[in-house]
Amino acid sequence: MSVRIGIIGPGGIGRSHIARITDKLARGRVVAVTDIDPAHAQRVADPIGATVYADDAALIEAEDVDAVIVTSFGPAHEGSVVRAIEAGKPVFCEKPLAPTAAECLRIMAAEQRGGRRLVQVGFMRRYDAGYRELKAVLDSGDVGEALMVHNRHRNPSSPENYLEGMSITDTAIHEIDVMRFLLGEEIVSARVDKPKRTTNRFPHLSDPLVLVLRTTSDVLIDVEIFVNNTYGYDIGCEVVAERGAVALGDQNAIVRTGTAGRSNRIAADYNERFEAAFNTELQEWINSVQAGEIVGPSSWDGYAAAVVCDAGVRSLRADGSQEFAVELIEKPAFYA
Amino acid sequence: MSVRIGIIGPGGIGRSHIARITDKLARGRVVAVTDIDPAHAQRVADPIGATVYADDAALIEAEDVDAVIVTSFGPAHEGSVVRAIEAGKPVFCEKPLAPTAAECLRIMAAEQRGGRRLVQVGFMRRYDAGYRELKAVLDSGDVGEALMVHNRHRNPSSPENYLEGMSITDTAIHEIDVMRFLLGEEIVSARVDKPKRTTNRFPHLSDPLVLVLRTTSDVLIDVEIFVNNTYGYDIGCEVVAERGAVALGDQNAIVRTGTAGRSNRIAADYNERFEAAFNTELQEWINSVQAGEIVGPSSWDGYAAAVVCDAGVRSLRADGSQEFAVELIEKPAFYA
Amino acid sequence: MSVRIGIIGPGGIGRSHIARITDKLARGRVVAVTDIDPAHAQRVADPIGATVYADDAALIEAEDVDAVIVTSFGPAHEGSVVRAIEAGKPVFCEKPLAPTAAECLRIMAAEQRGGRRLVQVGFMRRYDAGYRELKAVLDSGDVGEALMVHNRHRNPSSPENYLEGMSITDTAIHEIDVMRFLLGEEIVSARVDKPKRTTNRFPHLSDPLVLVLRTTSDVLIDVEIFVNNTYGYDIGCEVVAERGAVALGDQNAIVRTGTAGRSNRIAADYNERFEAAFNTELQEWINSVQAGEIVGPSSWDGYAAAVVCDAGVRSLRADGSQEFAVELIEKPAFYA
Amino acid sequence: MSVRIGIIGPGGIGRSHIARITDKLARGRVVAVTDIDPAHAQRVADPIGATVYADDAALIEAEDVDAVIVTSFGPAHEGSVVRAIEAGKPVFCEKPLAPTAAECLRIMAAEQRGGRRLVQVGFMRRYDAGYRELKAVLDSGDVGEALMVHNRHRNPSSPENYLEGMSITDTAIHEIDVMRFLLGEEIVSARVDKPKRTTNRFPHLSDPLVLVLRTTSDVLIDVEIFVNNTYGYDIGCEVVAERGAVALGDQNAIVRTGTAGRSNRIAADYNERFEAAFNTELQEWINSVQAGEIVGPSSWDGYAAAVVCDAGVRSLRADGSQEFAVELIEKPAFYA
């Protein structure tokens, strides 16, 4: 009765998915694990009694695997996802769907050949209570049409291997997806503005950045990306509409009063801020696998985000603040 | 591997427990149902494939029932809980443990005869992220010792069958328990102050009320109880300590800005405000049943709350604002 | 064209009144000073070119003194205020009007003999934008009738000469007055609840305290008084009414985000929190002196506050938490 | 002893300056009025006993006029301000100093010929407690260097005669000045991004807009300008620095709780939001006139704002989102 799940490439996020499926969510069970490091796979599999497979192909073909979660390194995604599609098994793929638009297009082609949606991409912001309530307010029509969105995505610090373009492809990709979700429109251009750099971290990194996006109907979106703010994981989103504005709340459990004044804590990291969203995301995916109909963010969403990231990275690398067009293929009816 | 659970008397709260065990939580399964109305039991059991039993005794004895949840009418609690204890099965009993101190004492006696803790009482505030963080701050010693606590417990409206004493026994009982949890002390006296009454509802009801409690070390607690505030379910708690104050935050998902100003929504009811706490409560109970050691609020906690309620109700019924002592039996080492 | 003002007994508050009249307010001028310490009077008078008088009688009689401000030690108030009344000159007297009800009654008798209102008492909370807006909301009828009011009055620390009863007579007196103003009703009883004491300061002081008041129509008021909170001057007031609640806002100029989270500063002292109220209070008094009609808090208000304080102090000195009646004389039509 | 002030062109803002000088501030007196409509001048002058002059030249030359306030239509500013300078009288000129950079330069030339600062421009944001506290935090070094600033400037509605460029020259000019004040740097470029337009008002107007500025040290500033938000006067400013962020607080006097949730009121207009800043601005100007040294925003500040506005308007009128350089003359030592 439970959905039997195989995991490919369980690093940090993969292990936290295993933990939530095992300890917090209903109707899912992790029964299979594979990893390029077999010893690592074994260490992950043992405590939950899962079977270790030699590679993704073997795991995907296993009879007792109903569905697959891909949390391996980005460049490995395409292979595993396409294999799962070809085996007719639902596959949950962590973001990015794939590092390049070309890979995403091949995944979409495979999925369309199969004739039914099997892929869900791990854009977990769509499952956060805050963004969902923002969307509900917008969809209600109470505030008229959205005109602008101001976002902030701040992290306390970035590791040394966090390279230039990752501000877009690894960090802002969440806003890129959730803006498409919130507004129900595609993004048509991207531009990066480079403010004064912080002196707190690596000189190789242009940090902070402001990513400016524009949608089909001309909604203007700005995303402040600041990955070395020194103080916490600080996420903000304010939608300015014709007759009012709606913003994410701080969602604080407590308020302290003391010599620091009246204060709310800032989340330490994305796990703390979005833990509930991760749980909702995977529970809804398990439910949709059981129901036989995948409804979460699709390959198209993964592809669209990749193309926007491309445009953003091009602007980041260009001199000054140049705007680059986002050129999507026509959306297949399959993903309508 | 799942805990197989039988439910006795599934009304509103019981059915919501069934729903969360089935759809949201890990490692639990509802396999048995009984109710004084057998047709109702059947309607509840069918969608989840559970078995209907003729009465609580039959359900408790069923071999495939590992643990029991009691959500029947308060006066029926003692019988079911004692039967579960005698069968050696863990039992989760919704609050109140029983309407009178005498019944609670008999439950405690049965549990102690059995020689191990089997009872958990449904005081779900202890599982709310806000109260837990308040407790963590107090326990850290950062703010010194608690001196006072100000609580508010406001409901939009009360039904016609909500009688006088229920402001204490049904509503404030949550604060009574969570204050004991937060402060780690017993309550030694209770007094009720009666403010001007609202004209919005039934003249039979003295609403609002202020319940004033005092703990062993003289912490002064006030609880505003207002069950017809017309606007929402509004819960507040501020602990004033020697070197600072800590209070529940509003935990709002979004902030709106419009002609009503900058505004946060108030929860509509306890389900909205405390849904996450209910989930945590039951998941931790299921985990503890599996682990073979019940750690949640105990029969002693149910008994202590009942005795405080008694003193509160006596003060409510007395003229003026008289203080009544809370007289507990000596705490059995069993519950230490 | 300016109102020419004489000051009797300029200590800290007196000098800050001189400064605001001189540097911030319109249409007032301090022309005369007297003090029991003539050298002090001279030091105060010199920078503003005011004349020093030997005593209050001489200052009051001076031809170029249009109105008088009394900021001397409380026990000296009656003499100066009555003298000003007898000279037919408007007199602004800092709170308390006088330390005892008997003195207040003599002031009222003198004022009534004179046949017109000449006395204003320095209850400056009535001039704070927050309390004024609270009152406007209540008076609008939008939220129905007030049922309860929760107040907090917290100070970072109290000096060694701050004695037991001063929590009521010096600190809570502000809430006592502003509650009468806000609700437009007299207070009919007072009770003091004594929570666990802070260990941070003098053992002679019972700190914090909760003062519980009741008005004619049974509105229940609680005032938390905590004069050694270690962190700041923290004033709160929430009026709970039949159809909503209204509370003082924090009125913060800025919000900081950093390792202490998202935080608002707490005011350091009453000067910072209520500076604007002090300015408004004196400007409106100067305006009313010019207009020839005193409209601020009257001798009656000073008397009523003194009687409530008396009841509060009696409760503070009694064992346990006893309620004491507040017994006012019938209100003279003169003060209607 | 009071500063005797003459007003040239008292429209709405001029009359509110007269009211505050007369009724709220110390040491100033309006003694002279002139207006292109002599009947209007008479109506303004009568209640305060001021003299009406035929034109600005006559008013400026009047012996009993110590200082001048210019609140006439922008194109008339240069003439009056230069005349006041040539008469050696301090002149407070409402913003803009003049509509074009050329006029501002001529004012600066006249002032420098005179050899001492006589001009103050009415940039009142610098006197707001919020911006001042932001600046104090930045200047303290606590949060490191500013990297970005996010501003919002929203108005409920704009009148029909509010033309395209006024979003910059009339509205955002306040942020342009206060950013220079806050950061202590010049602005070197301006760009306008045009979001989707609101349908709530005149089709001739591109509303909202985002003005993007860059300073000498590369601080990136965005200013959302939305003059038909339908709900209120909503001003925001968040400075993001290397080690924290600081933002304007909401400064609300009260918080309401009701069916609209927990809500703070938004100011209706700039008078409500910035009344205290206007008072501080004029009081400090009067003080500086008395002290013989003008210290507020200078002609240079008026000129610099005009040049930034020019660049902004050019970008607004250009296709797409083009950046325009802000080309200032070298700053005269006179204004250092």
Side-chain angles (χ1 to χ4, degrees):
Chain A
M1 173 185 252
S2 288
V3 174
R4 295 164 304 175
I5 299 166
I7 299 236
I8 297 167
I13 182 83
R15 274 172 299 175
S16 80
H17 285 339
I18 293 173
R20 78 185 85 242
I21 291 166
T22 307
D23 295 332
K24 296 185 175 164
L25 305 182
R27 298 196 295 239
R29 198 146 51 90
V30 176
V31 299
V33 178
T34 189
D35 195 80
I36 47 169
D37 173 359
H40 174 70
Q42 200 64 53
R43 278 192 302 274
V44 170
D46 282 350
I48 54 167
T51 306
V52 170
Y53 289 85
D55 58 22
D56 60 348
L59 179 144
I60 288 166
E61 277 159 31
E63 282 219 355
D64 71 342
V65 168
D66 299 322
V68 176
I69 292 178
V70 177
T71 59
S72 54
F73 184 51
H77 286 186
E78 181 195 353
S80 298
V81 171
V82 168
R83 257 178 218 103
I85 291 170
E86 289 174 349
K89 296 196 176 173
V91 53
F92 178 97
C93 180
E94 262 310 318
K95 61 99 196 163
L97 175 57
T100 66
E103 291 162 291
C104 295
L105 285 170
R106 287 197 294 266
I107 288 171
M108 286 164 61
E111 195 177 23
Q112 289 175 80
R113 274 198 306 276
R116 63 192 182 98
R117 276 203 52 195
L118 287 170
V119 180
Q120 176 165 330
V121 183
F123 288 132
M124 101 293 187
R125 294 273 181 101
R126 299 182 181 216
Y127 298 90
D128 175 62
Y131 285 108
R132 288 190 160 189
E133 199 166 333
L134 286 191
K135 183 165 174 58
V137 171
L138 290 178
D139 291 351
S140 75
D142 279 6
V143 291
E145 294 199 26
L147 306 175
M148 295 173 286
V149 192
H150 308 303
N151 297 276
R152 68 170 178 272
H153 188 146
R154 299 184 192 151
N155 280 72
S157 65
S158 62
E160 195 144 5
N161 63 357
Y162 185 97
L163 302 173
E164 185 76 354
M166 293 173 73
S167 293
I168 313 287
T169 59
D170 206 62
T171 300
I173 191 173
H174 283 295
E175 274 79 14
I176 289 169
D177 178 68
V178 85
M179 289 300 100
R180 297 178 60 254
F181 165 72
L182 210 54
L183 301 170
E185 293 188 3
E186 294 301 344
I187 290 164
V188 299
S189 75
R191 189 188 67 213
V192 171
D193 289 349
K194 293 157 210 154
K196 187 171 184 172
R197 293 181 182 204
T198 179
T199 57
N200 284 321
R201 298 285 287 189
F202 320 109
H204 72 256
L205 202 63
S206 184
D207 182 44
L209 295 177
V210 177
L211 175 67
V212 180
L213 307 170
R214 204 175 272 283
T215 71
T216 328
S217 80
D218 242 6
V219 178
L220 188 76
I221 298 164
D222 48 68
V223 185
E224 180 207 308
I225 309 152
F226 188 7
V227 297
N228 290 287
N229 75 5
T230 77
Y231 70 81
Y233 183 72
D234 192 359
I235 298 298
C237 177
E238 185 194 30
V239 183
V240 184
E242 293 181 303
R243 293 189 304 274
V246 273
L248 293 182
D250 268 354
Q251 308 184 22
N252 300 287
I254 68 166
V255 176
R256 292 182 71 148
T257 306
T259 47
R262 191 119 41 228
S263 66
N264 295 314
R265 209 158 51 79
I266 303 292
D269 56 27
Y270 70 86
N271 283 312
E272 184 184 342
R273 173 62 181 81
F274 286 116
E275 199 211 338
F278 278 117
N279 290 343
T280 305
E281 178 192 41
L282 275 190
Q283 185 69 67
E284 293 197 8
W285 177 66
I286 289 169
N287 294 353
S288 73
V289 170
Q290 274 195 328
E293 190 183 13
I294 305 303
V295 293
S298 68
S299 299
W300 172 261
D301 296 312
Y303 160 73
V307 181
V308 177
C309 284
D310 276 358
V313 171
R314 254 176 299 166
S315 181
L316 173 61
R317 290 182 181 153
D319 285 340
S321 295
Q322 295 177 41
E323 187 170 300
F324 286 80
V326 170
E327 276 159 20
L328 297 171
I329 64 164
E330 198 173 349
K331 189 172 180 177
F334 183 85
Y335 293 105
Chain B
M1 172 185 255
S2 288
V3 174
R4 295 165 302 173
I5 298 165
I7 297 236
I8 296 167
I13 182 81
R15 273 173 299 176
S16 79
H17 284 340
I18 293 173
R20 78 185 86 239
I21 291 167
T22 307
D23 295 332
K24 296 184 176 167
L25 305 183
R27 299 198 294 239
R29 198 146 52 88
V30 175
V31 299
V33 178
T34 189
D35 195 81
I36 47 168
D37 173 359
H40 174 70
Q42 199 65 54
R43 278 192 303 273
V44 169
D46 281 351
I48 53 166
T51 307
V52 171
Y53 290 85
D55 58 23
D56 60 348
L59 178 143
I60 288 166
E61 278 158 30
E63 282 219 355
D64 72 342
V65 168
D66 299 320
V68 176
I69 292 178
V70 176
T71 58
S72 54
F73 184 52
H77 285 187
E78 182 195 353
S80 298
V81 172
V82 169
R83 254 177 219 105
I85 291 169
E86 289 174 348
K89 297 198 174 171
V91 52
F92 178 98
C93 181
E94 262 311 316
K95 62 97 199 166
L97 175 59
T100 66
E103 291 162 290
C104 295
L105 286 170
R106 287 196 295 267
I107 288 171
M108 287 164 61
E111 195 178 22
Q112 290 176 81
R113 274 197 306 276
R116 63 191 182 99
R117 274 203 53 194
L118 289 170
V119 180
Q120 176 166 330
V121 183
F123 288 131
M124 100 292 190
R125 294 272 182 101
R126 298 183 180 215
Y127 298 89
D128 175 60
Y131 285 108
R132 287 190 160 190
E133 200 167 333
L134 286 191
K135 183 165 175 58
V137 171
L138 290 179
D139 290 352
S140 75
D142 279 5
V143 291
E145 294 199 27
L147 306 175
M148 295 173 285
V149 193
H150 307 302
N151 297 276
R152 68 170 179 273
H153 188 145
R154 299 182 192 150
N155 280 72
S157 65
S158 62
E160 195 143 7
N161 64 357
Y162 185 97
L163 302 173
E164 186 75 356
M166 293 173 73
S167 293
I168 311 288
T169 59
D170 206 60
T171 300
I173 191 171
H174 283 294
E175 274 79 15
I176 288 169
D177 178 67
V178 87
M179 289 300 101
R180 295 178 61 252
F181 164 73
L182 210 54
L183 300 170
E185 293 189 2
E186 295 300 343
I187 291 165
V188 299
S189 74
R191 187 189 69 214
V192 172
D193 288 348
K194 293 156 210 155
K196 188 170 182 173
R197 295 180 181 204
T198 179
T199 57
N200 284 321
R201 296 287 287 191
F202 320 110
H204 73 256
L205 202 63
S206 184
D207 182 43
L209 295 177
V210 176
L211 175 66
V212 180
L213 307 170
R214 205 175 270 281
T215 72
T216 328
S217 80
D218 242 7
V219 178
L220 188 76
I221 299 163
D222 47 68
V223 186
E224 181 207 307
I225 309 152
F226 187 7
V227 296
N228 289 288
N229 75 5
T230 77
Y231 71 80
Y233 183 71
D234 192 358
I235 298 298
C237 176
E238 185 195 30
V239 183
V240 185
E242 292 180 302
R243 293 190 303 274
V246 272
L248 294 181
D250 267 355
Q251 308 184 22
N252 299 289
I254 68 167
V255 176
R256 292 182 71 148
T257 305
T259 46
R262 193 123 34 229
S263 66
N264 295 313
R265 210 158 51 80
I266 302 293
D269 56 27
Y270 70 87
N271 282 313
E272 184 184 341
R273 173 63 181 81
F274 286 115
E275 199 212 338
F278 279 117
N279 290 344
T280 305
E281 177 191 42
L282 275 189
Q283 186 68 67
E284 294 196 8
W285 177 67
I286 290 169
N287 295 353
S288 72
V289 169
Q290 274 196 327
E293 190 182 13
I294 304 304
V295 293
S298 68
S299 299
W300 172 262
D301 296 313
Y303 160 73
V307 181
V308 177
C309 284
D310 275 359
V313 170
R314 255 175 298 164
S315 180
L316 174 61
R317 289 183 181 149
D319 285 342
S321 295
Q322 296 177 40
E323 188 171 300
F324 285 81
V326 170
E327 277 160 20
L328 297 171
I329 63 164
E330 198 174 348
K331 189 171 179 177
F334 183 86
Y335 293 106
Chain C
M1 175 187 249
S2 289
V3 173
R4 295 166 302 176
I5 299 166
I7 298 236
I8 297 168
I13 182 83
R15 272 172 300 175
S16 79
H17 284 340
I18 292 173
R20 78 185 84 240
I21 291 167
T22 307
D23 295 333
K24 296 184 176 165
L25 305 182
R27 298 195 298 237
R29 197 147 52 91
V30 176
V31 299
V33 178
T34 190
D35 194 80
I36 46 167
D37 173 359
H40 173 70
Q42 199 67 51
R43 279 192 301 275
V44 169
D46 281 350
I48 54 167
T51 307
V52 171
Y53 290 85
D55 57 22
D56 61 346
L59 179 144
I60 289 167
E61 277 158 31
E63 281 219 356
D64 70 341
V65 168
D66 300 321
V68 176
I69 293 179
V70 176
T71 59
S72 53
F73 184 51
H77 285 186
E78 182 195 354
S80 299
V81 171
V82 168
R83 253 176 222 106
I85 291 170
E86 289 174 347
K89 296 196 175 173
V91 53
F92 178 97
C93 180
E94 263 309 317
K95 61 100 197 161
L97 177 57
T100 66
E103 290 161 290
C104 295
L105 285 170
R106 287 196 294 266
I107 289 171
M108 288 164 61
E111 194 177 24
Q112 290 176 80
R113 273 197 308 276
R116 63 191 182 99
R117 274 203 53 195
L118 288 170
V119 180
Q120 176 166 332
V121 183
F123 288 133
M124 100 294 187
R125 295 271 181 101
R126 297 182 181 215
Y127 298 89
D128 175 62
Y131 285 108
R132 287 190 161 189
E133 199 167 332
L134 287 190
K135 183 163 175 60
V137 172
L138 290 178
D139 291 353
S140 75
D142 279 6
V143 291
E145 295 199 25
L147 307 174
M148 294 174 286
V149 191
H150 308 304
N151 297 276
R152 69 171 177 273
H153 188 146
R154 298 182 193 152
N155 279 72
S157 65
S158 62
E160 196 144 4
N161 63 356
Y162 185 98
L163 302 173
E164 186 75 355
M166 293 172 73
S167 293
I168 312 288
T169 58
D170 206 60
T171 300
I173 190 173
H174 284 294
E175 275 78 14
I176 289 169
D177 178 66
V178 85
M179 291 298 100
R180 296 177 61 252
F181 164 73
L182 211 54
L183 301 170
E185 292 188 4
E186 295 301 343
I187 292 164
V188 299
S189 73
R191 187 187 69 212
V192 172
D193 289 349
K194 294 157 210 157
K196 187 171 183 171
R197 292 180 182 204
T198 178
T199 57
N200 284 321
R201 297 286 286 188
F202 321 109
H204 73 256
L205 202 64
S206 184
D207 181 42
L209 295 178
V210 177
L211 175 66
V212 180
L213 307 170
R214 203 175 272 283
T215 71
T216 327
S217 80
D218 242 6
V219 177
L220 188 76
I221 298 164
D222 47 67
V223 185
E224 180 207 307
I225 309 152
F226 187 7
V227 296
N228 290 287
N229 76 5
T230 78
Y231 70 81
Y233 184 71
D234 192 0
I235 298 299
C237 176
E238 186 195 29
V239 183
V240 185
E242 293 180 304
R243 295 189 303 275
V246 273
L248 293 182
D250 267 355
Q251 308 184 22
N252 300 289
I254 68 165
V255 177
R256 292 182 71 148
T257 306
T259 47
R262 193 116 43 227
S263 66
N264 294 315
R265 210 158 50 80
I266 303 292
D269 55 28
Y270 70 86
N271 282 312
E272 184 184 341
R273 173 61 181 82
F274 286 116
E275 198 211 339
F278 279 116
N279 290 343
T280 305
E281 178 191 41
L282 276 190
Q283 186 69 67
E284 295 197 7
W285 177 67
I286 290 169
N287 294 352
S288 72
V289 169
Q290 274 197 327
E293 190 183 14
I294 305 303
V295 293
S298 68
S299 300
W300 172 261
D301 295 314
Y303 160 73
V307 181
V308 177
C309 284
D310 275 359
V313 172
R314 256 177 297 167
S315 180
L316 173 60
R317 291 184 178 149
D319 286 341
S321 295
Q322 295 176 41
E323 186 170 302
F324 285 80
V326 170
E327 276 160 21
L328 297 171
I329 63 163
E330 199 173 346
K331 188 171 181 178
F334 183 86
Y335 293 106
Chain D
M1 171 184 253
S2 289
V3 173
R4 295 164 303 174
I5 299 165
I7 297 236
I8 297 167
I13 182 80
R15 274 172 300 176
S16 79
H17 285 339
I18 293 173
R20 76 185 85 241
I21 291 167
T22 308
D23 296 331
K24 296 185 176 165
L25 305 182
R27 300 197 294 238
R29 198 146 52 90
V30 176
V31 299
V33 178
T34 188
D35 195 80
I36 47 168
D37 174 359
H40 173 70
Q42 199 66 54
R43 278 193 302 274
V44 169
D46 281 350
I48 53 167
T51 306
V52 171
Y53 290 84
D55 56 24
D56 60 348
L59 179 143
I60 289 166
E61 278 158 31
E63 283 219 355
D64 71 341
V65 167
D66 300 320
V68 176
I69 292 179
V70 176
T71 59
S72 55
F73 184 50
H77 286 186
E78 182 196 353
S80 298
V81 171
V82 169
R83 253 176 222 106
I85 291 170
E86 290 174 348
K89 297 197 174 173
V91 53
F92 178 99
C93 180
E94 262 310 318
K95 60 98 198 165
L97 175 59
T100 67
E103 291 161 288
C104 294
L105 286 169
R106 287 196 294 265
I107 289 171
M108 286 164 62
E111 195 177 24
Q112 291 176 80
R113 272 196 307 276
R116 61 190 183 101
R117 275 203 53 197
L118 288 170
V119 180
Q120 176 166 330
V121 184
F123 287 132
M124 100 293 189
R125 293 273 181 100
R126 299 181 179 215
Y127 298 89
D128 175 62
Y131 286 107
R132 289 190 160 189
E133 200 167 332
L134 287 190
K135 183 164 174 58
V137 171
L138 291 178
D139 290 352
S140 75
D142 279 6
V143 292
E145 294 199 27
L147 305 174
M148 294 174 286
V149 192
H150 308 303
N151 297 275
R152 68 171 178 273
H153 189 145
R154 299 182 191 151
N155 280 73
S157 66
S158 62
E160 196 144 5
N161 63 358
Y162 186 97
L163 301 174
E164 187 75 355
M166 294 173 73
S167 294
I168 313 288
T169 58
D170 207 59
T171 300
I173 192 173
H174 284 294
E175 274 79 14
I176 288 169
D177 177 67
V178 86
M179 290 300 100
R180 295 177 61 255
F181 164 73
L182 211 53
L183 301 170
E185 293 188 3
E186 295 301 344
I187 291 164
V188 299
S189 74
R191 187 188 70 213
V192 171
D193 289 349
K194 294 155 208 156
K196 188 171 183 173
R197 294 180 182 205
T198 179
T199 57
N200 284 322
R201 297 284 287 190
F202 320 110
H204 73 255
L205 203 63
S206 184
D207 182 43
L209 296 177
V210 177
L211 175 66
V212 179
L213 307 170
R214 204 174 272 281
T215 71
T216 328
S217 80
D218 243 7
V219 178
L220 188 76
I221 299 164
D222 48 66
V223 185
E224 180 207 310
I225 309 152
F226 188 7
V227 296
N228 290 287
N229 74 6
T230 76
Y231 71 80
Y233 183 71
D234 191 358
I235 298 299
C237 177
E238 185 193 32
V239 184
V240 185
E242 293 181 302
R243 294 189 303 274
V246 272
L248 293 182
D250 267 355
Q251 308 183 23
N252 300 289
I254 68 165
V255 177
R256 292 182 71 149
T257 306
T259 46
R262 192 123 33 230
S263 66
N264 294 314
R265 210 158 51 80
I266 303 293
D269 55 27
Y270 70 86
N271 283 311
E272 184 183 341
R273 173 63 180 79
F274 286 116
E275 198 212 338
F278 278 117
N279 291 343
T280 305
E281 178 191 41
L282 275 189
Q283 185 69 66
E284 295 197 7
W285 177 67
I286 290 169
N287 295 352
S288 72
V289 169
Q290 274 196 327
E293 191 184 12
I294 305 302
V295 293
S298 68
S299 300
W300 172 262
D301 297 313
Y303 161 72
V307 182
V308 177
C309 284
D310 275 358
V313 170
R314 256 177 298 165
S315 181
L316 172 61
R317 289 184 180 149
D319 284 343
S321 295
Q322 297 177 39
E323 189 170 298
F324 285 80
V326 170
E327 277 159 22
L328 296 171
I329 64 163
E330 198 173 347
K331 189 171 179 177
F334 184 86
Y335 294 106

